[in-house]
Amino acid sequence: MMLTYLIDSDILIDHLRKKRRLQAYLGEFQAATRFACSTMTVAEVYAGMRLSEEPATRQLIEGLAHLPVTTPVAEKAAELQRDFRKKGQTIPLADCLIAATALLEKATLVTANAKHYPMVADKITQPTHP
């Protein structure tokens, strides 16, 4: 069975801005893995992209599998957002969509912002490299 690692925008942006090398971190994972991102992550990365980063950004994004925001993903994200709102926590819809994608794809979320994803706390891995 292939493992899927869903890479969050913070990891991709850190890589593009040379704060944390993606290869050093992802190289630790097993060979039978699929590296992916949510289409929501694609939007987040492109929204924050600097003009000088466009070629590198396109190359990086094109090297990942893209997991779409489907109707089931949207429904799960809405459920997550409602559940946390009842607990008094406001979770941005974009984070709920990414978390829902991870849950439905049975993927491990790779993020440095675990606090943004309390709904998948048991399905998160965080970079250990500086």
Side-chain angles (χ1 to χ4, degrees):
M1 181 174 174
M2 184 174 288
L3 299 173
T4 299
Y5 287 94
L6 187 68
I7 304 172
D8 196 16
S9 57
D10 65 314
I11 301 297
L12 298 175
I13 291 167
D14 281 355
H15 171 75
L16 288 165
R17 301 217 170 128
K18 298 179 179 24
K19 293 180 182 175
R20 181 183 300 120
R21 300 309 301 172
L22 190 60
Q23 294 92 339
Y25 182 60
L26 297 182
E28 294 178 3
F29 294 127
Q30 301 169 353
T33 58
R34 173 174 68 152
F35 300 110
C37 65
S38 165
T39 52
M40 177 56 60
T41 299
V42 173
E44 289 177 333
V45 170
Y46 280 119
M49 178 184 68
R50 297 173 181 156
L51 188 57
S52 63
E53 296 170 336
E54 186 171 0
T57 300
R58 289 197 182 283
Q59 182 179 16
L60 179 60
I61 294 295
E62 289 171 6
L64 300 170
H66 297 178
L67 303 179
V69 176
T70 61
T71 299
V73 168
E75 290 173 355
K76 183 66 175 175
E79 175 189 327
L80 292 170
Q81 194 175 48
R82 279 193 315 270
D83 289 350
F84 276 86
R85 190 178 309 128
K86 288 177 189 173
K87 297 175 187 177
Q89 275 186 279
T90 302
I91 308 287
L93 185 56
D95 292 345
C96 291
L97 288 163
I98 292 166
T101 301
L103 289 168
L104 295 178
E105 291 286 332
K106 296 177 177 44
T108 298
L109 181 60
V110 181
T111 184
N113 293 320
K115 66 181 185 284
H116 291 193
Y117 301 99
M119 66 292 272
V120 291
D122 61 331
K123 295 288 289 174
I124 290 179
T125 186
Q126 296 187 72
T128 55
H129 292 281

